[in-house]
Amino acid sequence: MKTPFKNIVQVLRLNRWVVLSVVILSGLVCSVSIMVVAKIHQNSMDHAFVVNGEGEVIPLQWMEQHKNLEVEALAHLEQFHRWFYGVDAGSYETHMEKALWLGNNSVTEIYHQKKADGFYNRLLQYSLVQKVERIESKIEQEGANMAFQTRIVLKIYRGSVTDTYELVTSGHLLQVERNFPHNPHGLLITDFFENSLRKLETYESPKE
């Protein structure tokens, strides 16, 4: 014989399974949603987008910073040395302004020292042209800082006379905030020092 109580028990039992199923399903949906959001976030961190002149959106792949840092450091050092040492009467002020953005007061002090020694006055007086022929940099990681040593081959043109010099500099690179367009690599040269300068004789060929 059927009783109302038996029906109520069955209904309650069914409701319990329905509620339990909904809770489990909701948990699964939440878990999947979290994983999808995390994946989307990771993809957004690995990609950037730029808009070209025609309004088209172009994806750019981002490399992890630790893989890209050495490449940026070498580019930073090359740009700095070309600006700081590749000078002539018409360009040295512009080059110095750009170079000083890439280093701290240790770079500024060497610039003022050269200026006090009359280097730039001679550049103007005799229309000298100093060109950077080659730059070779070595970098060693030292915790948050990077130590570097750079070898530069310079040619100084004085009319029909050309002299070749080898200059070795050293210092450290410190990561700072990127500053477009002044310091796009986000690196700052510190402890900058000119270790040695020697004239290369005509019979000496610059080392590769």
Side-chain angles (χ1 to χ4, degrees), residues 84 106-115 192-194:
F84 199 73
S106 62
V107 173
T108 306
E109 288 173 1
I110 290 182
Y111 166 65
H112 287 312
Q113 181 181 344
K114 288 179 178 292
K115 196 171 184 178
F192 186 62
F193 187 72
E194 294 181 342

Side-chain angles (χ1 to χ4, degrees), residues 10-85:
Q10 290 178 343
V11 169
L12 291 177
R13 185 176 299 168
L14 178 62
N15 288 342
R16 184 177 65 181
W17 282 109
V18 169
V19 172
L20 185 60
S21 300
V22 170
V23 170
I24 293 174
L25 184 60
S26 299
L28 290 174
V29 170
C30 290
S31 299
V32 172
S33 300
I34 291 173
M35 288 189 291
V36 170
V37 170
K39 186 175 181 179
I40 293 174
H41 175 71
Q42 184 62 43
N43 287 337
S44 68
M45 293 298 292
D46 290 340
H47 295 80
F49 297 89
V50 295
V51 180
N52 63 11
E54 299 176 356
E56 297 175 342
V57 178
I58 302 173
L60 294 177
Q61 184 72 31
W62 279 2
M63 295 177 62
E64 295 181 10
Q65 187 174 5
H66 72 274
K67 294 180 181 178
N68 198 33
L69 184 57
E70 184 175 353
V71 176
E72 290 204 71
L74 292 173
H76 185 88
L77 289 171
E78 174 148 357
Q79 188 63 80
F80 166 76
H81 285 91
R82 288 198 181 278
W83 279 337
F84 199 73
Y85 294 105

Side-chain angles (χ1 to χ4, degrees), residues 51-201:
V51 180
N52 63 11
E54 299 176 356
E56 297 175 342
V57 178
I58 302 173
L60 294 177
Q61 184 72 31
W62 279 2
M63 295 177 62
E64 295 181 10
Q65 187 174 5
H66 72 274
K67 294 180 181 178
N68 198 33
L69 184 57
E70 184 175 353
V71 176
E72 290 204 71
L74 292 173
H76 185 88
L77 289 171
E78 174 148 357
Q79 188 63 80
F80 166 76
H81 285 91
R82 288 198 181 278
W83 279 337
F84 199 73
Y85 294 105
V87 294
D88 56 48
S91 67
Y92 88 90
E93 289 183 335
T94 302
H95 283 195
M96 289 304 108
E97 182 180 353
K98 292 178 179 179
L100 293 178
W101 276 96
L102 306 183
N104 69 352
N105 61 338
S106 62
V107 173
T108 306
E109 288 173 1
I110 290 182
Y111 166 65
H112 287 312
Q113 181 181 344
K114 288 179 178 292
K115 196 171 184 178
D117 292 341
F119 172 77
Y120 300 109
N121 287 336
R122 292 193 296 274
L123 192 74
L124 296 171
Q125 183 177 356
Y126 300 108
S127 298
L128 301 179
V129 176
Q130 181 172 279
K131 288 188 176 181
V132 178
E133 292 291 310
R134 185 179 300 125
I135 298 174
E136 299 171 354
S137 296
K138 295 180 180 179
I139 299 173
E140 293 183 5
Q141 191 78 29
E142 293 183 350
N145 291 350
M146 290 180 290
F148 73 86
Q149 184 177 80
T150 300
R151 175 181 171 271
I152 314 150
V153 176
L154 303 169
K155 284 188 179 294
I156 299 179
Y157 297 88
R158 295 177 295 165
S160 60
V161 179
T162 302
D163 295 323
T164 305
Y165 292 86
E166 180 187 74
L167 173 67
V168 177
T169 66
S170 64
H172 291 84
L173 288 171
L174 180 66
Q175 288 185 267
V176 295
E177 291 291 331
R178 296 177 190 270
N179 185 338
F180 296 94
H182 301 299
N183 190 342
H185 295 115
L187 295 168
L188 193 69
I189 294 173
T190 65
D191 307 319
F192 186 62
F193 187 72
E194 294 181 342
N195 300 79
S196 64
L197 175 67
R198 74 182 185 96
K199 184 177 180 180
L200 297 177
E201 302 299 334

Side-chain angles (χ1 to χ4, degrees), residues 2-9:
K2 295 184 179 180
T3 64
F5 298 104
K6 187 175 181 180
N7 291 336
I8 292 174
V9 170

